[in-house]
Amino acid sequence: MVACATAPDERRRHLALACVAGLTADIAARGHRASWSCSRDNRPSRLLAWTADFRLTHEYVHHVAGPISHA
C-alpha cells in the first residue's frame, strides 16, 4: 500500500499525479497491474485515480463494529 499526500501550498501542481504515474509505470514494467482503493466519499482521490487512467470496476462498502467516530 502506498499513500500520497500533498502539502496545501503545493496542491494543483500535479505532483501526486507525477508520483502515481511513475509508480504505475514501474509496476507495469515489472509485469504487474496496479489497483486503486479509496472511499467513495474521497472525491480528490477518485479524481486523481481517474486522471491517472484508473477506471472503476466495482465499489466496496465498508462495515465496522463498535462506536462510530466523527473525528
Side-chain angles (χ1 to χ4, degrees):
M1 178 187 301
V2 175
C4 183
T6 305
D9 292 345
E10 301 297 326
R11 292 185 180 152
R12 303 204 185 283
R13 295 182 55 204
H14 306 289
L15 300 174
L17 180 58
C19 291
V20 170
L23 183 60
T24 55
D26 184 68
I27 290 169
R30 295 168 188 262
H32 299 284
R33 194 167 131 188
S35 65
W36 193 281
S37 177
C38 69
S39 164
R40 79 170 60 167
D41 298 328
N42 189 340
R43 183 169 168 77
S45 182
R46 291 175 69 120
L47 287 172
L48 177 57
W50 183 265
T51 304
D53 291 327
F54 285 82
R55 295 298 177 255
L56 181 65
T57 57
H58 51 276
E59 290 185 306
Y60 293 97
V61 177
H62 249 178
H63 298 277
V64 296
I68 296 174
S69 171
H70 295 286

